[in-house]
Amino acid sequence: MNQVEAGQALAPKFDAAGLTPVVTTDAKSGEVLMMRVMNTEALRRSAETGEAHYWSRSRQCLWHKGATSGLIQKAVELRTGDDQDAIWLRVEIVGLATCHVGYRSCFYRAVPIGAPDVPRLTFTESEKLFDPAVIYGDMPNPTQL
């Protein structure tokens, strides 16, 4: 346990599906851009290439952020938590935004605090920075409910 918490060996804890959560923030502003997951290969490629790679749970494949859209995330710093069960990735965005919906951050809506039983989300970003139809064309939406 001491090696994981205080040592220099990278020993990420992956869940039963082989994944670990990743919080991605803007390296300059600190704004949270997205929360995704990585498997061993995504973590290795992110560290090796200096560009964000994730595991897509909906598509069940490795995903190089921006390979289709051009909205590449350049890794500035990769950190792991004290017990190495999560990753913090600080990035510079090549392009306007991160979210495939067109907003800068994937966290573009807020849940009102103290709201009634079924609160309505409020938008924290006033406009989209790009039109997803122009960027992605007729590609299927990765969001699956």
Side-chain angles (χ1 to χ4, degrees):
M1 189 60 105
N2 192 36
Q3 181 62 26
V4 170
E5 293 176 344
Q8 291 184 303
L10 177 62
K13 290 182 187 173
F14 295 98
D15 66 14
L19 305 173
T20 192
V22 181
V23 176
T24 304
T25 62
D26 183 282
K28 291 181 183 149
S29 71
E31 174 186 21
V32 176
L33 299 172
M34 57 196 292
M35 192 301 229
R36 295 294 183 265
V37 294
M38 285 182 178
N39 62 4
T40 302
E41 182 68 7
L43 180 56
R44 183 186 67 74
R45 286 202 187 174
S46 295
E48 283 181 0
T49 67
E51 293 183 356
H53 289 74
Y54 301 97
W55 177 257
S56 172
R57 290 181 285 198
S58 61
R59 291 174 273 170
Q60 290 293 296
C61 65
L62 191 67
W63 162 44
H64 177 201
K65 177 65 178 133
T68 300
S69 66
L71 304 172
I72 302 282
Q73 293 177 342
K74 296 279 188 182
V76 171
E77 184 177 43
L78 259 166
R79 291 190 188 189
T80 186
D82 55 356
D83 56 0
Q84 297 198 43
D85 65 350
I87 301 291
W88 176 17
L89 176 57
R90 296 177 58 236
V91 301
E92 291 177 352
I93 303 169
V94 176
L96 298 172
T98 288
C99 184
H100 75 276
V101 176
Y103 293 102
R104 175 165 172 73
S105 167
C106 293
F107 293 92
Y108 55 89
R109 295 172 293 180
V111 177
I113 304 298
D117 292 338
V118 183
R120 293 184 56 82
L121 298 174
T122 58
F123 283 79
T124 59
E125 296 186 34
S126 59
E127 63 185 64
K128 292 183 178 187
L129 299 176
F130 68 88
D131 180 353
V134 171
I135 298 288
Y136 300 107
D138 61 356
M139 288 183 66
N141 187 324
T143 303
Q144 295 182 10
L145 301 178

